[in-house]
Amino acid sequence: MSWSRAARTAVLAAGLALAGAACGEPPPRDEVEVVVPDGASTRDIARILSEAGLVRFPRLFAWAARLSGQDSVLKSGRYRLAEDASWFEMLEALERGVVVTVPLTIPEGFGTRDIAARVAAFAGVPADSVLALTRAPELARELGVPGPTLEGYLFPDTYRFAESLAPRTILAAMVERYRSFWTEERRARLDSLEISERELVTLASIVEAEARVPGERPVIAGVYWNRLRRGMLLQADPTVQFALGERKERLLYRDIDSVADHPYNTYTQPGLPPGPIASPGAAALVATLEPADVPFLFFVARPDGSHVFTTTAREHVNAKNRIRAERNQR
């Protein structure tokens, strides 16, 4: 008589439950972590589980894995298994690769340099190697984002990954999370704005970098949209910081002049820069897709990070003078 795998598994599960009870397995306890190395055989896995106190009869466990047909599909990794788990449950966890995961948080507005440092620390590899991946145009093309690199498309979020996961796989998961942002409705809104996906993300990355008060994102986006539509220079400080390759507490005219010819210097170059300057979060992307309908063309930051928005150049200069006087008084 020929049995299907499902039938064998069901019979095995029932048999193992009875066997466990008959053999006097330990009473229910807490979880135990075990590490199954790459290339471990079924016998090796059985020994590892036995040494961890999870399996009392390793040879019988290995035989059970072969009988169920799972011996060739057990995966390596770090597992957290209940000490009272049945053999069937342990085999299922090992077959499905239910490994221990660790959180990895990418904050909104992080650039590739900061993201690469976090991914490298998580994966235990050099940061430069991860940074090279994020800045490789061919990887951006492979992952289906507008480019020119992965800058801007590594979506800010808290992820959970297995410790042994390769950096390339981690970056691909972040890009996939970015792609999930684009619903049909948002694609339709993008089309109505007559702007490309890359341009939208580029503008959103500037909005993200400028906004210190979350509620100001739509207003800041509205200001930049107004400037673009009038053919004005964006004059966005964060783009100059990007061109400089370093963050400065205060941007001086000499800093702007030092990168005057850089394509990301929006004080000297018209329109949007060639690509995003960091990874905007969902709120910044939505704000850029649906900017506030405001008349403002200028804004200047207060010491607390909020902004004063103005319509004319004279109003803007007056606002800057007031804020400078307030800063000097402090």
Side-chain angles (χ1 to χ4, degrees):
M1 179 174 63
S2 177
W3 288 32
S4 68
R5 180 181 173 186
R8 291 201 313 270
T9 301
V11 171
L12 178 64
L16 291 178
L18 292 173
C23 294
E25 292 288 357
R29 288 176 292 167
D30 294 332
E31 293 180 325
V32 173
E33 276 198 9
V34 295
V35 176
V36 177
D38 289 335
S41 66
T42 306
R43 186 173 295 180
D44 293 332
I45 295 172
R47 176 183 51 77
I48 291 168
L49 296 176
S50 176
E51 292 174 353
L54 293 167
V55 170
R56 183 171 292 186
F57 304 102
R59 289 186 179 179
L60 183 58
F61 180 88
W63 172 83
R66 287 193 294 272
L67 179 63
S68 67
Q70 293 168 289
D71 58 323
S72 62
V73 293
L74 303 183
K75 297 177 175 62
S76 61
R78 184 182 299 274
Y79 292 84
R80 188 174 291 124
L81 303 170
E83 289 188 343
D84 63 333
S86 68
W87 290 1
F88 175 75
E89 290 171 329
M90 286 188 279
L91 286 170
E92 284 293 295
L94 290 162
E95 179 181 6
R96 289 166 48 211
V98 187
V99 297
V100 174
T101 58
V102 179
L104 174 61
T105 298
I106 304 299
E108 297 168 336
F110 258 33
T112 51
R113 187 177 298 278
D114 293 323
I115 293 173
R118 289 209 175 187
V119 172
F122 181 92
V125 299
D128 287 348
S129 66
V130 182
L131 185 61
L133 284 174
T134 69
R135 295 182 175 178
E138 58 272 18
L139 183 56
R141 289 193 296 270
E142 180 184 325
L143 295 179
V145 293
T149 66
L150 293 185
E151 187 78 80
Y153 308 102
L154 301 171
F155 204 79
D157 206 345
T158 294
Y159 300 85
R160 294 197 69 91
F161 296 118
E163 292 175 309
S164 58
L165 213 57
R168 188 186 184 97
T169 305
I170 293 173
L171 297 177
M174 294 178 183
V175 170
E176 186 60 30
R177 175 68 185 85
Y178 159 79
R179 291 169 65 85
S180 72
F181 168 84
W182 289 103
T183 62
E184 289 184 12
E185 292 78 12
R186 287 168 176 163
R187 287 284 180 194
R189 174 60 181 166
L190 176 65
D191 292 340
S192 73
L193 294 172
E194 298 182 350
I195 189 172
S196 71
E197 181 182 340
R198 182 198 287 192
E199 291 170 329
L200 189 286
V201 178
T202 298
L203 183 52
S205 71
I206 298 172
V207 171
E208 187 72 85
E210 291 280 20
R212 292 294 177 267
V213 177
E216 289 186 350
R217 287 190 182 103
V219 182
I220 293 173
V223 171
Y224 282 131
W225 270 111
N226 289 343
R227 295 180 74 87
L228 284 171
R229 287 165 177 157
R230 292 184 180 220
M232 298 173 63
L233 292 171
L234 288 184
Q235 296 184 326
D237 288 2
T239 65
V240 179
Q241 305 270 21
F242 185 87
L244 289 168
E246 61 177 324
R247 299 183 182 90
K248 289 181 175 289
E249 189 66 27
R250 292 187 64 188
L251 199 63
L252 303 176
Y253 286 118
R254 65 169 176 265
D255 298 321
I256 298 172
D257 292 341
S258 70
V259 288
D261 296 329
H262 198 286
Y264 280 79
N265 186 340
T266 56
Y267 276 84
T268 58
Q269 309 301 317
L272 289 163
I277 60 172
S279 287
L285 288 166
V286 170
T288 309
L289 281 169
E290 301 174 3
D293 184 9
V294 293
F296 307 129
L297 291 171
F298 306 91
F299 59 86
V300 59
R302 296 186 180 96
D304 64 1
S306 64
H307 293 88
V308 176
F309 297 91
T310 51
T311 305
T312 68
R314 180 178 293 275
E315 291 172 343
H316 180 56
V317 170
N318 290 339
K320 288 171 66 176
N321 290 337
R322 287 197 307 271
I323 290 172
R324 186 179 297 113
E326 291 174 7
R327 185 179 291 113
N328 290 339
Q329 287 177 356
R330 292 188 180 189

